[in-house]
PDB file of all heavy atoms in Angstrom:
ATOM      1  N   GLN A  39      94.344  93.524 111.331  1.00  0.00           N
ATOM      2  CA  GLN A  39      94.704  94.873 111.285  1.00  0.00           C
ATOM      3  C   GLN A  39      93.678  95.671 111.982  1.00  0.00           C
ATOM      4  O   GLN A  39      92.528  95.804 111.569  1.00  0.00           O
ATOM      5  CB  GLN A  39      94.904  95.246 109.835  1.00  0.00           C
ATOM      6  CG  GLN A  39      95.395  96.649 109.644  1.00  0.00           C
ATOM      7  CD  GLN A  39      95.815  96.890 108.188  1.00  0.00           C
ATOM      8  OE1 GLN A  39      95.172  96.504 107.261  1.00  0.00           O
ATOM      9  NE2 GLN A  39      96.845  97.721 108.017  1.00  0.00           N
ATOM     10  N   GLY A  44      98.774  98.968 112.018  1.00  0.00           N
ATOM     11  CA  GLY A  44      99.512  98.096 111.171  1.00  0.00           C
ATOM     12  C   GLY A  44      99.117  96.673 111.245  1.00  0.00           C
ATOM     13  O   GLY A  44      98.118  96.355 111.961  1.00  0.00           O
ATOM     14  N   LEU A  45      99.748  95.854 110.536  1.00  0.00           N
ATOM     15  CA  LEU A  45      99.457  94.446 110.478  1.00  0.00           C
ATOM     16  C   LEU A  45     100.006  93.698 111.712  1.00  0.00           C
ATOM     17  O   LEU A  45     101.071  94.017 112.293  1.00  0.00           O
ATOM     18  CB  LEU A  45     100.119  93.733 109.316  1.00  0.00           C
ATOM     19  CG  LEU A  45      99.730  94.413 107.945  1.00  0.00           C
ATOM     20  CD1 LEU A  45     100.522  93.785 106.766  1.00  0.00           C
ATOM     21  CD2 LEU A  45      98.237  94.125 107.732  1.00  0.00           C
ATOM     22  N   TRP A  47     100.390  89.692 113.169  1.00  0.00           N
ATOM     23  CA  TRP A  47     100.315  88.302 112.961  1.00  0.00           C
ATOM     24  C   TRP A  47      99.516  87.693 114.095  1.00  0.00           C
ATOM     25  O   TRP A  47      99.633  87.873 115.338  1.00  0.00           O
ATOM     26  CB  TRP A  47     101.711  87.732 112.907  1.00  0.00           C
ATOM     27  CG  TRP A  47     101.709  86.121 112.888  1.00  0.00           C
ATOM     28  CD1 TRP A  47     101.390  85.386 111.778  1.00  0.00           C
ATOM     29  CD2 TRP A  47     101.971  85.200 113.889  1.00  0.00           C
ATOM     30  NE1 TRP A  47     101.502  84.018 112.030  1.00  0.00           N
ATOM     31  CE2 TRP A  47     101.724  83.918 113.341  1.00  0.00           C
ATOM     32  CE3 TRP A  47     102.287  85.349 115.237  1.00  0.00           C
ATOM     33  CZ2 TRP A  47     101.969  82.722 114.132  1.00  0.00           C
ATOM     34  CZ3 TRP A  47     102.344  84.222 116.004  1.00  0.00           C
ATOM     35  CH2 TRP A  47     102.206  82.943 115.466  1.00  0.00           C
ATOM     36  N   TYR A  59     100.556  77.685 115.995  1.00  0.00           N
ATOM     37  CA  TYR A  59     101.255  78.665 116.796  1.00  0.00           C
ATOM     38  C   TYR A  59     100.325  79.950 116.842  1.00  0.00           C
ATOM     39  O   TYR A  59      99.591  80.141 115.956  1.00  0.00           O
ATOM     40  CB  TYR A  59     102.639  79.054 116.248  1.00  0.00           C
ATOM     41  CG  TYR A  59     103.571  77.881 116.117  1.00  0.00           C
ATOM     42  CD1 TYR A  59     103.806  77.335 115.012  1.00  0.00           C
ATOM     43  CD2 TYR A  59     104.347  77.635 117.328  1.00  0.00           C
ATOM     44  CE1 TYR A  59     104.737  76.231 114.909  1.00  0.00           C
ATOM     45  CE2 TYR A  59     105.333  76.566 117.249  1.00  0.00           C
ATOM     46  CZ  TYR A  59     105.464  75.888 116.088  1.00  0.00           C
ATOM     47  OH  TYR A  59     106.431  74.926 116.064  1.00  0.00           O
ATOM     48  N   TYR A  95      92.577  88.746 108.072  1.00  0.00           N
ATOM     49  CA  TYR A  95      92.888  88.252 106.782  1.00  0.00           C
ATOM     50  C   TYR A  95      93.406  86.864 106.958  1.00  0.00           C
ATOM     51  O   TYR A  95      94.194  86.590 107.895  1.00  0.00           O
ATOM     52  CB  TYR A  95      93.995  89.093 106.135  1.00  0.00           C
ATOM     53  CG  TYR A  95      93.636  90.511 105.912  1.00  0.00           C
ATOM     54  CD1 TYR A  95      94.111  91.525 106.703  1.00  0.00           C
ATOM     55  CD2 TYR A  95      93.039  90.836 104.693  1.00  0.00           C
ATOM     56  CE1 TYR A  95      93.948  92.794 106.393  1.00  0.00           C
ATOM     57  CE2 TYR A  95      92.866  92.187 104.388  1.00  0.00           C
ATOM     58  CZ  TYR A  95      93.178  93.217 105.262  1.00  0.00           C
ATOM     59  OH  TYR A  95      92.961  94.495 104.952  1.00  0.00           O
ATOM     60  N   GLU A 100     104.174  80.142 103.833  1.00  0.00           N
ATOM     61  CA  GLU A 100     104.998  80.646 104.939  1.00  0.00           C
ATOM     62  C   GLU A 100     105.158  82.069 104.867  1.00  0.00           C
ATOM     63  O   GLU A 100     105.186  82.861 105.901  1.00  0.00           O
ATOM     64  CB  GLU A 100     106.348  79.939 104.895  1.00  0.00           C
ATOM     65  CG  GLU A 100     106.389  78.473 105.065  1.00  0.00           C
ATOM     66  CD  GLU A 100     106.258  78.084 106.514  1.00  0.00           C
ATOM     67  OE1 GLU A 100     106.193  78.907 107.386  1.00  0.00           O
ATOM     68  OE2 GLU A 100     106.278  76.914 106.789  1.00  0.00           O
ATOM     69  N   PHE A 101     105.293  82.637 103.556  1.00  0.00           N
ATOM     70  CA  PHE A 101     105.512  84.050 103.516  1.00  0.00           C
ATOM     71  C   PHE A 101     104.267  84.776 102.894  1.00  0.00           C
ATOM     72  O   PHE A 101     104.421  85.897 102.425  1.00  0.00           O
ATOM     73  CB  PHE A 101     106.718  84.285 102.557  1.00  0.00           C
ATOM     74  CG  PHE A 101     106.843  83.445 101.419  1.00  0.00           C
ATOM     75  CD1 PHE A 101     106.115  83.719 100.205  1.00  0.00           C
ATOM     76  CD2 PHE A 101     107.613  82.207 101.351  1.00  0.00           C
ATOM     77  CE1 PHE A 101     106.163  82.963  99.047  1.00  0.00           C
ATOM     78  CE2 PHE A 101     107.662  81.454 100.254  1.00  0.00           C
ATOM     79  CZ  PHE A 101     106.955  81.746  99.139  1.00  0.00           C
ATOM     80  N   ASN A 102     103.090  84.213 103.045  1.00  0.00           N
ATOM     81  CA  ASN A 102     101.832  84.903 102.721  1.00  0.00           C
ATOM     82  C   ASN A 102     101.900  85.453 101.326  1.00  0.00           C
ATOM     83  O   ASN A 102     101.755  86.738 101.170  1.00  0.00           O
ATOM     84  CB  ASN A 102     101.669  86.169 103.799  1.00  0.00           C
ATOM     85  CG  ASN A 102     101.705  85.599 105.199  1.00  0.00           C
ATOM     86  OD1 ASN A 102     101.212  84.589 105.512  1.00  0.00           O
ATOM     87  ND2 ASN A 102     102.375  86.386 106.061  1.00  0.00           N
ATOM     88  N   TRP A 105      96.488  86.651  99.833  1.00  0.00           N
ATOM     89  CA  TRP A 105      95.671  87.033 100.878  1.00  0.00           C
ATOM     90  C   TRP A 105      94.229  87.083 100.592  1.00  0.00           C
ATOM     91  O   TRP A 105      93.831  87.320  99.386  1.00  0.00           O
ATOM     92  CB  TRP A 105      96.096  88.528 101.367  1.00  0.00           C
ATOM     93  CG  TRP A 105      97.544  88.662 101.850  1.00  0.00           C
ATOM     94  CD1 TRP A 105      98.617  88.441 101.195  1.00  0.00           C
ATOM     95  CD2 TRP A 105      97.929  89.013 103.214  1.00  0.00           C
ATOM     96  NE1 TRP A 105      99.723  88.680 101.956  1.00  0.00           N
ATOM     97  CE2 TRP A 105      99.277  89.072 103.221  1.00  0.00           C
ATOM     98  CE3 TRP A 105      97.143  89.459 104.320  1.00  0.00           C
ATOM     99  CZ2 TRP A 105     100.009  89.410 104.374  1.00  0.00           C
ATOM    100  CZ3 TRP A 105      97.944  89.771 105.479  1.00  0.00           C
ATOM    101  CH2 TRP A 105      99.310  89.830 105.430  1.00  0.00           C
ATOM    102  N   GLY A 106      93.383  86.893 101.606  1.00  0.00           N
ATOM    103  CA  GLY A 106      91.956  87.043 101.432  1.00  0.00           C
ATOM    104  C   GLY A 106      91.670  88.548 101.428  1.00  0.00           C
ATOM    105  O   GLY A 106      92.510  89.316 101.685  1.00  0.00           O
ATOM    106  N   GLN A 107      90.386  88.786 101.247  1.00  0.00           N
ATOM    107  CA  GLN A 107      89.953  90.298 101.121  1.00  0.00           C
ATOM    108  C   GLN A 107      89.711  90.868 102.504  1.00  0.00           C
ATOM    109  O   GLN A 107      89.474  92.064 102.594  1.00  0.00           O
ATOM    110  CB  GLN A 107      88.738  90.438 100.293  1.00  0.00           C
ATOM    111  CG  GLN A 107      87.355  90.143 101.070  1.00  0.00           C
ATOM    112  CD  GLN A 107      87.144  88.669 101.308  1.00  0.00           C
ATOM    113  OE1 GLN A 107      87.904  87.801 101.095  1.00  0.00           O
ATOM    114  NE2 GLN A 107      86.018  88.460 102.080  1.00  0.00           N
TER     115      GLN A 107
ATOM    116  N   TYR B  37     105.851  93.665 102.212  1.00  0.00           N
ATOM    117  CA  TYR B  37     104.450  93.733 101.718  1.00  0.00           C
ATOM    118  C   TYR B  37     104.144  95.202 101.334  1.00  0.00           C
ATOM    119  O   TYR B  37     104.609  96.065 102.100  1.00  0.00           O
ATOM    120  CB  TYR B  37     103.413  93.190 102.601  1.00  0.00           C
ATOM    121  CG  TYR B  37     103.641  91.745 103.014  1.00  0.00           C
ATOM    122  CD1 TYR B  37     104.364  91.555 104.233  1.00  0.00           C
ATOM    123  CD2 TYR B  37     103.160  90.669 102.357  1.00  0.00           C
ATOM    124  CE1 TYR B  37     104.667  90.179 104.547  1.00  0.00           C
ATOM    125  CE2 TYR B  37     103.410  89.299 102.735  1.00  0.00           C
ATOM    126  CZ  TYR B  37     104.148  89.214 103.875  1.00  0.00           C
ATOM    127  OH  TYR B  37     104.479  87.904 104.229  1.00  0.00           O
ATOM    128  N   GLN B  39     100.790  97.713 100.972  1.00  0.00           N
ATOM    129  CA  GLN B  39      99.313  97.869 101.233  1.00  0.00           C
ATOM    130  C   GLN B  39      98.868  99.180 100.885  1.00  0.00           C
ATOM    131  O   GLN B  39      99.320 100.237 101.389  1.00  0.00           O
ATOM    132  CB  GLN B  39      98.980  97.613 102.687  1.00  0.00           C
ATOM    133  CG  GLN B  39      97.498  97.433 102.959  1.00  0.00           C
ATOM    134  CD  GLN B  39      97.037  97.145 104.339  1.00  0.00           C
ATOM    135  OE1 GLN B  39      97.811  97.486 105.296  1.00  0.00           O
ATOM    136  NE2 GLN B  39      95.943  96.445 104.489  1.00  0.00           N
ATOM    137  N   SER B  44      93.919  94.695 100.540  1.00  0.00           N
ATOM    138  CA  SER B  44      94.783  93.653 101.321  1.00  0.00           C
ATOM    139  C   SER B  44      96.248  93.820 101.040  1.00  0.00           C
ATOM    140  O   SER B  44      96.600  94.375  99.933  1.00  0.00           O
ATOM    141  CB  SER B  44      94.276  92.251 100.880  1.00  0.00           C
ATOM    142  OG  SER B  44      92.871  92.005 101.109  1.00  0.00           O
ATOM    143  N   PRO B  45      97.072  93.471 101.924  1.00  0.00           N
ATOM    144  CA  PRO B  45      98.533  93.498 101.568  1.00  0.00           C
ATOM    145  C   PRO B  45      98.800  92.653 100.393  1.00  0.00           C
ATOM    146  O   PRO B  45      98.176  91.639 100.052  1.00  0.00           O
ATOM    147  CB  PRO B  45      99.192  92.932 102.874  1.00  0.00           C
ATOM    148  CG  PRO B  45      98.065  93.118 103.970  1.00  0.00           C
ATOM    149  CD  PRO B  45      96.731  92.928 103.264  1.00  0.00           C
ATOM    150  N   LEU B  47     102.276  90.685  98.601  1.00  0.00           N
ATOM    151  CA  LEU B  47     103.662  90.277  98.741  1.00  0.00           C
ATOM    152  C   LEU B  47     104.498  90.753  97.667  1.00  0.00           C
ATOM    153  O   LEU B  47     104.140  90.806  96.514  1.00  0.00           O
ATOM    154  CB  LEU B  47     103.752  88.738  98.720  1.00  0.00           C
ATOM    155  CG  LEU B  47     105.114  88.130  98.802  1.00  0.00           C
ATOM    156  CD1 LEU B  47     105.770  88.307 100.161  1.00  0.00           C
ATOM    157  CD2 LEU B  47     105.061  86.622  98.419  1.00  0.00           C
ATOM    158  N   TYR B  88     105.369  96.967 104.767  1.00  0.00           N
ATOM    159  CA  TYR B  88     105.582  96.297 105.987  1.00  0.00           C
ATOM    160  C   TYR B  88     106.696  95.266 105.692  1.00  0.00           C
ATOM    161  O   TYR B  88     106.669  94.477 104.708  1.00  0.00           O
ATOM    162  CB  TYR B  88     104.324  95.536 106.528  1.00  0.00           C
ATOM    163  CG  TYR B  88     103.291  96.511 106.874  1.00  0.00           C
ATOM    164  CD1 TYR B  88     102.196  96.797 105.980  1.00  0.00           C
ATOM    165  CD2 TYR B  88     103.232  97.094 108.112  1.00  0.00           C
ATOM    166  CE1 TYR B  88     101.240  97.690 106.353  1.00  0.00           C
ATOM    167  CE2 TYR B  88     102.113  97.932 108.568  1.00  0.00           C
ATOM    168  CZ  TYR B  88     101.144  98.229 107.667  1.00  0.00           C
ATOM    169  OH  TYR B  88     100.065  99.061 108.012  1.00  0.00           O
ATOM    170  N   HIS B  90     108.264  91.601 107.565  1.00  0.00           N
ATOM    171  CA  HIS B  90     107.731  90.503 108.294  1.00  0.00           C
ATOM    172  C   HIS B  90     108.670  89.362 108.418  1.00  0.00           C
ATOM    173  O   HIS B  90     109.254  89.055 107.355  1.00  0.00           O
ATOM    174  CB  HIS B  90     106.373  90.072 107.563  1.00  0.00           C
ATOM    175  CG  HIS B  90     105.767  88.819 108.112  1.00  0.00           C
ATOM    176  ND1 HIS B  90     105.386  88.651 109.444  1.00  0.00           N
ATOM    177  CD2 HIS B  90     105.513  87.669 107.499  1.00  0.00           C
ATOM    178  CE1 HIS B  90     104.898  87.408 109.502  1.00  0.00           C
ATOM    179  NE2 HIS B  90     104.927  86.821 108.404  1.00  0.00           N
ATOM    180  N   TYR B  92     109.114  85.363 109.151  1.00  0.00           N
ATOM    181  CA  TYR B  92     108.317  84.188 109.198  1.00  0.00           C
ATOM    182  C   TYR B  92     109.089  82.844 109.420  1.00  0.00           C
ATOM    183  O   TYR B  92     108.569  81.763 109.285  1.00  0.00           O
ATOM    184  CB  TYR B  92     107.523  84.073 107.787  1.00  0.00           C
ATOM    185  CG  TYR B  92     108.436  84.025 106.658  1.00  0.00           C
ATOM    186  CD1 TYR B  92     108.852  82.859 106.087  1.00  0.00           C
ATOM    187  CD2 TYR B  92     108.742  85.147 105.945  1.00  0.00           C
ATOM    188  CE1 TYR B  92     109.673  82.876 104.929  1.00  0.00           C
ATOM    189  CE2 TYR B  92     109.535  85.202 104.740  1.00  0.00           C
ATOM    190  CZ  TYR B  92     109.956  84.000 104.381  1.00  0.00           C
ATOM    191  OH  TYR B  92     110.769  83.954 103.113  1.00  0.00           O
ATOM    192  N   SER B  95     108.118  81.128 115.211  1.00  0.00           N
ATOM    193  CA  SER B  95     106.976  81.723 115.902  1.00  0.00           C
ATOM    194  C   SER B  95     107.346  82.066 117.288  1.00  0.00           C
ATOM    195  O   SER B  95     108.117  81.408 117.922  1.00  0.00           O
ATOM    196  CB  SER B  95     105.785  80.724 115.832  1.00  0.00           C
ATOM    197  OG  SER B  95     105.406  80.510 114.467  1.00  0.00           O
ATOM    198  N   PRO B  96     106.805  83.193 117.762  1.00  0.00           N
ATOM    199  CA  PRO B  96     105.827  84.094 117.080  1.00  0.00           C
ATOM    200  C   PRO B  96     106.384  84.874 116.042  1.00  0.00           C
ATOM    201  O   PRO B  96     107.429  85.514 116.109  1.00  0.00           O
ATOM    202  CB  PRO B  96     105.241  84.872 118.235  1.00  0.00           C
ATOM    203  CG  PRO B  96     106.460  85.027 119.136  1.00  0.00           C
ATOM    204  CD  PRO B  96     107.117  83.784 119.096  1.00  0.00           C
ATOM    205  N   ARG B  97     105.690  84.925 114.797  1.00  0.00           N
ATOM    206  CA  ARG B  97     106.013  85.781 113.694  1.00  0.00           C
ATOM    207  C   ARG B  97     105.608  87.169 114.102  1.00  0.00           C
ATOM    208  O   ARG B  97     104.666  87.347 114.900  1.00  0.00           O
ATOM    209  CB  ARG B  97     105.314  85.210 112.445  1.00  0.00           C
ATOM    210  CG  ARG B  97     105.667  83.691 112.284  1.00  0.00           C
ATOM    211  CD  ARG B  97     104.928  83.149 111.144  1.00  0.00           C
ATOM    212  NE  ARG B  97     105.354  81.699 110.947  1.00  0.00           N
ATOM    213  CZ  ARG B  97     105.143  80.997 109.952  1.00  0.00           C
ATOM    214  NH1 ARG B  97     104.666  81.541 108.763  1.00  0.00           N
ATOM    215  NH2 ARG B  97     105.576  79.749 109.837  1.00  0.00           N
ATOM    216  N   PHE B  99     105.401  91.481 112.538  1.00  0.00           N
ATOM    217  CA  PHE B  99     105.533  92.511 111.404  1.00  0.00           C
ATOM    218  C   PHE B  99     106.148  93.745 112.011  1.00  0.00           C
ATOM    219  O   PHE B  99     106.069  94.060 113.220  1.00  0.00           O
ATOM    220  CB  PHE B  99     104.109  92.944 110.932  1.00  0.00           C
ATOM    221  CG  PHE B  99     103.431  91.871 110.075  1.00  0.00           C
ATOM    222  CD1 PHE B  99     102.667  90.860 110.697  1.00  0.00           C
ATOM    223  CD2 PHE B  99     103.515  91.992 108.739  1.00  0.00           C
ATOM    224  CE1 PHE B  99     102.047  89.888 109.966  1.00  0.00           C
ATOM    225  CE2 PHE B  99     102.800  91.027 107.927  1.00  0.00           C
ATOM    226  CZ  PHE B  99     102.191  89.986 108.495  1.00  0.00           C
TER     227      PHE B  99
END
Side-chain angles (χ1 to χ4, degrees):
Chain A
Q39 188 169 35
L45 301 174
W47 176 77
Y59 296 99
Y95 299 97
E100 296 281 1
F101 43 82
N102 306 317
W105 296 64
Q107 85 289 358
Chain B
Y37 306 90
Q39 189 177 32
S44 302
L47 176 69
Y88 296 95
H90 170 61
Y92 55 91
S95 292
R97 306 173 179 202
F99 286 88

